[in-house]
Amino acid sequence: SGLCIAGHKEEAWKLLHDMKVNGLQPEPETYRIVLSMFSKANKVVEVLKLFNEILEDGIEPDAKACNALVKAFCLDQKFKEGLEVVEMMLGRELNPNLVSLNMVVEGLFNSGELDEVFALWEKLNDNLVPTLTFHHRLVIELSKAGKLAKAELVLQDIKKKSSTLPDDVSAAFVDGLSKVESIEKVQKDKLGVFAKAQKDVVDIDDGLSKVNSFTKAQKDAIEAEESVS
């Protein structure tokens, strides 16, 4: 731990592996200290390798180790993998820290994975949601994407937590509603035009049928007159 506190990452990594080579099993806390050091230094590859070693040695990773792994995945732009770790933590009643949670959420937002963010929101309890800012952003993004049913659920949750709603949040939801209504009107108008076109075709067919019947009657009358004469 002294090497880690001093920031000697390479020396700490070498010492850890020398211990294993010499048949000395590092304590779980030793792993966690080294893992935390690499995580703070944004050493993605080292964090992933060390986490795998922890699992291989049969050590149960704690919240600190899992948060380090989430951060590593996010730094490597693997937000879905980070999300999987967060969901695993929630299933084991381990709390993701705010840094890990915000990194995952921000990455998913930026990559357009709104359904995944919404699913995560449903799983989080009040203690894990950083602030109402998370809710507000979710409403805005869902509204922009036309996912209004989900946006409304988040709005209802916001109303339980706060008596005020930022203007940009309500404006985004109203704008989403107006776009849906416009789309529905266009679709309705298209259906109306299609129905009219179908009716016109039927009227035309009916008219042609009547003309053909009249023409046939005339032809029959002429042939009858010719046969008499």
Side-chain angles (χ1 to χ4, degrees):
S1 61
L3 290 173
C4 294
I5 293 172
H8 300 300
K9 295 180 285 295
E10 290 76 13
E11 291 88 340
W13 180 266
K14 184 177 183 302
L15 179 59
L16 189 67
H17 283 276
D18 285 346
M19 289 176 65
K20 297 181 70 174
V21 169
N22 293 317
L24 298 173
Q25 179 62 44
E27 293 290 330
E29 185 61 23
T30 303
Y31 273 122
R32 295 182 186 113
I33 292 172
V34 177
L35 190 65
S36 177
M37 177 188 64
F38 282 126
S39 176
K40 289 177 181 177
N42 297 335
K43 296 291 185 179
V44 175
V45 175
E46 288 83 352
V47 169
L48 296 176
K49 285 182 178 179
L50 191 53
F51 194 88
N52 285 330
E53 285 189 24
I54 290 174
L55 296 178
E56 289 170 1
D57 288 348
I59 299 173
E60 187 74 13
D62 62 0
K64 196 171 184 179
C66 291
N67 280 315
L69 183 61
V70 172
K71 182 181 177 183
F73 276 132
C74 291
L75 288 172
D76 203 28
Q77 303 296 305
K78 295 178 179 178
F79 301 109
K80 284 192 174 182
E81 288 84 348
L83 175 62
E84 289 175 3
V85 178
V86 168
E87 291 177 336
M88 178 270 289
M89 293 177 70
L90 295 174
R92 294 174 51 206
E93 298 184 352
L94 296 174
N95 287 348
N97 61 32
L98 296 186
V99 173
S100 300
L101 193 58
N102 285 335
M103 289 181 76
V104 169
V105 169
E106 187 65 23
L108 292 173
F109 269 136
N110 292 337
S111 57
E113 304 289 350
L114 297 181
D115 290 332
E116 282 78 2
V117 179
F118 180 80
L120 178 59
W121 168 78
E122 288 185 305
K123 295 174 184 175
L124 294 172
N125 58 45
D126 291 338
N127 295 328
L128 291 178
V129 177
T131 62
L132 282 172
T133 302
F134 174 78
H135 291 72
H136 297 160
R137 174 84 182 273
L138 187 53
V139 171
I140 291 172
E141 298 298 337
L142 288 170
S143 298
K144 287 180 180 178
K147 300 177 183 291
L148 297 177
K150 292 180 177 179
E152 188 172 3
L153 288 175
V154 183
L155 276 174
Q156 291 172 0
D157 194 48
I158 291 175
K159 291 178 182 177
K160 296 176 185 176
K161 295 176 168 63
S162 173
S163 58
T164 60
L165 188 67
D167 292 340
D168 59 336
V169 178
S170 55
F173 186 71
V174 170
D175 186 56
L177 283 174
S178 63
K179 286 180 180 178
V180 169
E181 290 172 357
S182 298
I183 291 172
E184 289 177 347
K185 183 178 184 303
V186 170
Q187 290 176 331
K188 186 177 180 181
D189 291 344
K190 285 182 177 180
L191 286 173
V193 171
F194 180 70
K196 184 178 183 303
Q198 283 188 313
K199 183 178 181 302
D200 290 344
V201 169
V202 171
D203 290 343
I204 290 171
D205 289 343
D206 185 55
L208 287 173
S209 177
K210 289 178 180 178
V211 169
N212 290 335
S213 297
F214 179 73
T215 303
K216 184 177 184 302
Q218 283 185 318
K219 184 178 179 182
D220 291 343
I222 292 171
E223 289 177 351
E225 288 179 1
E226 289 178 347
S227 64
V228 170
S229 60

